[in-house]
């Protein structure tokens, strides 16, 4: 089967690899219907994080179950499923509390599972899913029906970006009437706009300096777009809001500058939901939190939990997070998919095996 | 009148000072019925924070209004009032959102007000209160009635420690059924125990290594007390909870060790409410927040907001936060009050002018 391997920075290859098999009773094997490239996949691609040896890559997929181990009863062969970007046991305290991304046995694509077996990447024709009982999320409709309705991109977005944008909004306590600032105009930030509106925000202000993304942000629900960044961005926000600030901000980038901008965008007692993977010196300044009574929450999204809340709105078309995909390519062209995103020719590329 | 001045570390004096007068239409003058010494007053006393020149000290009081400026309609001469430890305008965005501690004009006792006039300390016979319209909180009962009912210490606790303990619990999202760990066995931590129980926590675990405070924590509602600290404290908590961790933790100290202990005490997706004034290298490690999905909120308590919620329960005797006072002295003995708290002979001393 064809599977994507990263060998070194800017060396991404779709290669022939052995078909996956069940290693334990807790595994499943899926045929991938659609996968995609994440902004965080660009970090090893750009050499920001180190690639010690070639390994499979990709962590977002929807697919059809082909085989399940004897202990897996949550899905059966033929079921169309979403797989959250982190795999989890469903039994530990964090899982039971609804935070499978902090599972005691949390397992990532492209890593090694708790039994010591290597885990496939999602940018593949087929994948083995360990911890399958809790990690498979059946949609309850057939592949044919979902393809005909054009819902595959929207469901794929639930695997990561839409669940992550929703996590930012939930972690920021967004509720009816709130004014919400969204820092980051990538796929997650755009999904944050959708999530904030869905949770009842009265006014959503997106920070974006790219015309195409600003237009999409508006289409997805942003009431205003601010092009400035940093302190100038906060000043522009304050002007826009008649001298006031937002009730909540969504930090969807992960840098020191973006966190500062999010913290600066909220009033005293405001809330910041952060989902950008921290890098580049990002920190939470405790003095600012203390003095301005700001709450900071978020982290790696419990996608398995959130997709259960979001599924009905995706199936009904009430939200269309698949709009963040602005290109689709065959899996064989995965190297071009990375290049297009790296060069900002695409926001997010959907891959078809 | 007698008023407390700090001259240098361990040099606290009750001195004769001029009676306060109204400087603006927005001021009030009060006769202090009771004041007290805060754990944070011990910082300049111990030389942890610097005292550049002698200044008035103390920020917790209840009193009776003697005079009000023309613009003050919220209270009248003769009213028994609580004064929150930070004074606020009531009109800016943060105040309107319920966070007067992040007020655009926030003013502390012993500092300088927005008109440039020096602000008295609360450990005095009389005080001028700027921003009086929003900063006076009338209790609605007479001094005689409240003294007869023995409620003065409980009402005084609302000026800071009980509102602050409540803020820790609210910021940690404590709700029915939660297991809550409380880090810090000073007056604020003890009030945090009261607050967590009041908000419905099923199980409250207090960290304390002092027998008298542990006993008081139990009396105020703690179900268990853990004497160990740091990693050993977290391990002991996990043993106590059958291998699990708390849903929420209250950080009521402000040091790096106490914050780490609070963060270590909660499960994935747990919440930490922090109200300990950050010092000694305290920080919020963003990697831990991200990986374990922990929410951190809190800061300087919006006491003016919280006392409105807590007042009825104090007047009815449902909660008795005045129990944190284990000594009472005349204002003239204020130096001994500081010494008793510094040497841990007292948890918190109430002062009577």
């Amino acid at each position: 089967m064809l599977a994507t391997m990263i060998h070194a920075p800017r060396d991404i290859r779709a290669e022939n690899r052995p078909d996956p098999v069940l290693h334990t009773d807790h595994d499943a094997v899926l045929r991938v219907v659609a996968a995609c490239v994440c902004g965080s996949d660009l970090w090893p691609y750009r050499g920001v994080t180190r690639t010690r040896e070639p390994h499979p890559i990709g962590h977002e997929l929807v697919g059809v179950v082909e085989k399940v181990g004897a202990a897996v009863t949550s899905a059966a062969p033929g079921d169309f499923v979403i797989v959250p970007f982190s795999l989890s046991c469903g039994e530990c305290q964090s899982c039971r509390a609804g935070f499978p991304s902090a599972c005691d046995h949390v397992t990532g694509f492209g890593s090694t599972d708790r039994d010591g077996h290597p885990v496939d990447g999602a940018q593949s024709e087929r994948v083995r899913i360990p911890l399958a009982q809790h990690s498979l999320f059946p949609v309850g409709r057939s592949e044919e029906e979902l393809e005909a309705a054009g819902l595959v991109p929207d469901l794929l977005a639930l695997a990561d970006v839409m669940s992550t944008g929703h996590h930012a909004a939930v972690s920021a306590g967004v509720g009816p009437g709130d004014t919400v600032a969204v820092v980051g105009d990538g796929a997650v930030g755009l999904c944050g706009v959708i999530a904030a509106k869905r949770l009842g925000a009265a006014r959503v202000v997106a920070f974006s300096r790219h015309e195409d993304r600003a237009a999409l942000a508006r289409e997805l629900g942003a009431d205003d777009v601010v092009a400035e960044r940093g302190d100038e961005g906060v000043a522009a926000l304050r002007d826009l809001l008649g001298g006031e600030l937002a009730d909540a901000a969504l930090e969807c980038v992960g840098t020191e500058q973006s966190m500062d901008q999010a913290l600066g965008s909220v009033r005293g007692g405001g809330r910041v939901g952060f989902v950008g993977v921290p890098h580049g010196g990002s920190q939470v300044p405790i003095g600012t939190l203390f003095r301005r009574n700001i709450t900071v929450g978020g982290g790696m999204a419990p996608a398995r939990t959130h997709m259960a809340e979001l599924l009905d709105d995706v199936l009904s078309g009430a939200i269309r997070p698949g709009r963040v995909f602005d290109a689709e390519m065959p899996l064989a062209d995965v190297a071009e998919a990375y290049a297009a995103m790296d060069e900002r020719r695409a926001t997010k590329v959907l891959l078809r095996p």
Side-chain angles (χ1 to χ4, degrees), chain A:
Chain A
M1 67 147 187
L2 213 54
T4 303
M5 300 286 285
I6 180 165
H7 287 257
R10 297 181 200 278
D11 184 358
I12 292 277
R13 307 179 199 169
E15 299 179 357
N16 277 310
R17 305 264 297 170
D19 271 335
V21 296
L22 302 177
H23 284 312
T24 81
D25 286 350
H26 303 277
D27 291 351
V29 169
L30 313 188
R31 171 173 56 81
V32 176
V33 171
C36 52
V37 181
C38 183
S40 67
D41 291 332
L42 294 182
W43 295 9
Y45 183 80
R46 290 171 173 163
V48 175
T49 53
R50 195 170 151 201
T51 299
R52 288 168 201 279
E53 55 186 19
H55 61 80
I57 191 166
H59 54 261
E60 298 155 284
L61 74 89
V62 290
V64 172
V65 178
E66 292 196 326
K67 299 177 208 163
V68 294
V72 180
T73 59
S74 60
D79 285 352
F80 185 97
V81 297
I82 312 171
V83 185
F85 69 90
S86 65
L87 313 175
S88 53
C89 75
E91 292 168 6
C92 70
Q93 187 186 17
S94 296
C95 278
R96 283 184 284 112
F99 291 87
S101 47
C103 169
D104 288 349
H105 303 287
V106 67
T107 302
F109 284 92
S111 70
T112 303
D113 69 20
R114 62 174 170 179
D115 299 309
H117 300 294
V119 183
D120 299 314
Q123 293 157 5
S124 303
E125 285 186 306
R126 284 186 170 70
V127 290
R128 178 183 68 93
I129 303 294
L131 300 169
Q133 177 70 9
H134 191 245
S135 300
L136 301 182
F137 186 82
V139 171
R141 301 203 190 172
S142 73
E143 179 184 8
E144 293 68 28
E145 187 183 357
L146 294 168
E147 289 280 18
L151 286 170
V152 167
D154 300 295
L155 294 165
L156 177 60
L158 289 181
D160 185 345
V161 289
M162 183 62 217
S163 294
T164 296
H166 178 70
H167 191 54
V170 168
S171 299
V174 172
D178 278 342
T179 294
V180 181
V182 180
V183 181
D185 63 358
V188 170
L190 292 166
C191 287
V193 170
I194 297 174
K197 273 290 175 186
R198 180 181 170 279
L199 291 168
R203 189 168 184 180
V204 174
V205 182
F207 286 103
S208 176
R209 52 172 59 193
H210 302 96
E211 274 184 32
D212 51 340
R213 296 185 183 194
L216 185 51
R218 287 186 192 275
E219 182 189 323
L220 296 174
D223 299 282
D224 305 276
V225 176
V226 169
E228 290 84 353
R229 286 190 192 184
D231 291 345
E232 289 176 12
V234 171
L237 178 70
R238 199 187 276 276
D239 281 350
L240 184 70
L241 301 180
E244 305 206 329
L245 288 167
D247 301 296
L250 315 187
E251 194 291 297
C252 305
V253 181
T255 62
E256 184 176 9
Q257 187 192 40
S258 61
M259 179 61 88
D260 287 348
Q261 191 171 329
L263 292 167
S265 293
V266 298
R267 59 162 169 80
R271 293 103 47 192
V272 172
F274 86 107
V275 294
V277 186
H279 64 287
S282 178
Q283 55 175 315
V284 180
I286 193 169
T288 303
L289 262 57
F290 189 84
R291 200 174 62 254
R292 304 195 54 231
N293 247 285
I294 297 173
T295 296
V296 173
M300 208 163 78
R304 176 67 177 74
T305 301
H306 291 329
M307 61 180 64
E309 180 180 339
L310 298 167
L311 181 64
D312 284 352
D313 282 358
V314 165
L315 292 177
S316 73
I319 60 173
R320 297 301 309 262
R323 290 285 291 112
V324 301
F325 295 105
D326 53 357
E328 180 173 325
M329 301 182 191
L331 177 60
D333 293 347
V334 65
E336 165 56 15
Y338 275 74
M341 283 177 60
D342 177 47
E343 295 160 19
R344 288 188 172 273
R345 288 182 279 121
T347 300
K348 193 168 178 74
V349 181
L350 187 146
L351 296 167
R352 288 286 196 170

